[in-house]
Amino acid sequence: MDSYQQTIKDFEEFLQTHTPQIDGFHPHFAQAFWEMLQNGGKRFRPNLLLAVVNGLNPIMTPNAFLPALALECLHTYSLIHDDLPCMDDSPLRRSHPTLHSTYGETTAVLVGDGLNTYAFYLLSLAKLSAQTKIALVQELAHNGGIGGMVIGQALDCYFENQTLSLEHLQTIHTNKTARLIATSLKMGALIANASDTYSMRLASFGLRLGLYFQIRDDVIDAVQEETQAGKPTHNDAHKNSYVNLLGLSGAQEILQKESNILSQEMQTFGERTANNLAYLLEPFFARI
């Protein structure tokens, strides 16, 4: 088995066996806290980080597991909150009932809060230099917060049922989706001690990749059924989506164009890293 494929397998085992320490006599909070992570998901953001570390400095790969898990915690908190009745009101995520559907809104909100802060606790435990850990905290806090995902979510919710320009749509999704994907790659570069120039190129690639993923998600919502997507679909009629703005064929055309550009660009990051990214991204570049 290729070393990166083994790394993905090892990280999944690490996640499944990791046990957060939660004190108290609450009857189900400890179970709810880790349930959504153990339910699966693509692990896309942590595996991007690991693709870079494994590609550039493989000896550092074990030291990257806690930062990778931190990314997955922060991303999962965002999904739990996104699914709440006050936002998307979704009953299904990762082919499982959403947390609020099983345990109620209060527990879902608090689990999301807990996963958000737990992400930074995990970064503090990583076997990395203090300087690297500070840089990782800065990247994740800014781009997972008001410098990225949170403001993107705020814009997305506020402008529902309003038609925006393509420029404004891209601003929303650059923040809501793309910045955390770009941060995943940049965090890998920081752990691997890559040059600033290389890190910036990776982050730029990640922003483009993040927008690609948002367009792809919009197309999936339009063409797939719930059982295929693992979450409710045909659910974006009131949202600012690429399909609603450009039409299905227009969104699909951009999707194919962007996949070609990304496939070419990732070859510039060195053979080992490019191979890792190609392995990870292959299923996402397939036609929907």
Side-chain angles (χ1 to χ4, degrees):
M1 182 181 290
D2 178 85
S3 66
Y4 177 55
Q5 296 176 44
Q6 185 62 51
T7 293
I8 290 175
K9 183 178 178 182
D10 290 344
F11 175 69
E12 182 63 27
E13 183 177 345
F14 176 78
L15 187 154
Q16 294 295 334
T17 56
H18 182 83
T19 306
Q21 298 302 307
I22 300 177
D23 296 328
F25 49 88
H26 194 289
H28 57 250
F29 189 83
Q31 168 65 25
F33 185 78
W34 213 236
E35 182 174 306
M36 192 63 74
L37 277 93
Q38 291 183 320
N39 278 349
K42 297 184 289 288
R43 312 294 189 222
F44 183 65
R45 289 151 189 82
N47 285 336
L48 280 173
L49 181 154
L50 294 170
V52 175
V53 177
N54 179 272
L56 296 178
N57 195 352
I59 198 172
M60 291 295 293
T61 301
N63 301 53
F65 277 10
L66 284 174
L69 183 55
L71 265 171
E72 187 69 0
C73 286
L74 190 122
H75 174 58
T76 302
Y77 119 73
S78 76
L79 301 181
I80 292 168
H81 281 191
D82 192 42
D83 289 336
L84 287 168
C86 65
M87 297 181 78
D88 281 355
D89 195 15
S90 177
L92 195 70
R93 173 70 71 171
R94 294 173 172 174
S95 300
H96 291 268
T98 47
L99 221 59
H100 71 271
S101 300
T102 304
Y103 300 106
E105 289 182 52
T106 300
T107 295
V109 169
L110 292 172
V111 166
D113 293 344
L115 286 169
N116 184 357
T117 52
Y118 191 62
F120 297 97
Y121 175 70
L122 290 171
L123 288 179
S124 77
L125 299 179
K127 294 181 179 178
L128 300 165
S129 71
Q131 182 179 1
T132 299
K133 288 195 280 191
I134 290 170
L136 294 176
V137 168
Q138 184 178 36
E139 285 295 323
L140 188 57
H142 181 68
N143 292 297
I146 58 170
M149 186 179 72
V150 171
I151 186 60
Q153 187 72 282
L155 289 167
D156 193 35
C157 291
Y158 184 81
F159 287 102
E160 282 186 358
N161 299 307
Q162 302 177 58
T163 301
L164 297 179
S165 67
L166 180 60
E167 180 183 1
H168 283 152
L169 182 65
Q170 288 177 324
T171 297
I172 288 174
H173 292 303
T174 293
N175 285 293
K176 181 183 174 183
T177 302
R179 291 202 187 280
L180 193 59
I181 287 175
T183 292
S184 305
L185 291 161
K186 190 172 181 182
M187 286 173 68
L190 287 167
I191 293 168
N193 198 31
S195 70
D196 289 344
T197 301
Y198 187 95
S199 299
M200 289 175 63
R201 287 202 303 113
L202 267 179
S204 178
F205 172 83
L207 289 176
R208 186 162 210 146
L209 180 64
L211 285 177
Y212 170 84
F213 261 76
Q214 185 60 55
I215 300 167
R216 182 178 181 273
D217 199 52
D218 290 350
V219 171
I220 285 173
D221 183 82
V223 303
Q224 287 190 355
E225 298 303 320
E226 183 176 291
T227 52
Q228 295 172 280
K231 60 181 180 179
T233 56
H234 313 297
N235 204 34
D236 285 352
H238 61 295
K239 290 189 173 185
N240 280 285
S241 77
Y242 288 88
V243 171
N244 289 341
L245 189 63
L246 303 174
L248 179 59
S249 61
Q252 289 174 319
E253 183 179 340
I254 292 178
L255 199 63
Q256 186 58 50
K257 176 184 175 183
E258 288 298 307
S259 70
N260 293 336
I261 293 171
L262 288 163
S263 295
Q264 293 173 8
E265 189 175 344
M266 70 184 174
Q267 298 304 319
T268 68
F269 295 118
E271 183 178 2
R272 188 180 174 98
T273 302
N275 287 342
N276 290 350
L277 291 172
Y279 174 79
L280 179 61
L281 295 175
E282 181 180 9
F284 303 106
F285 286 160
R287 287 185 178 273
I288 300 170

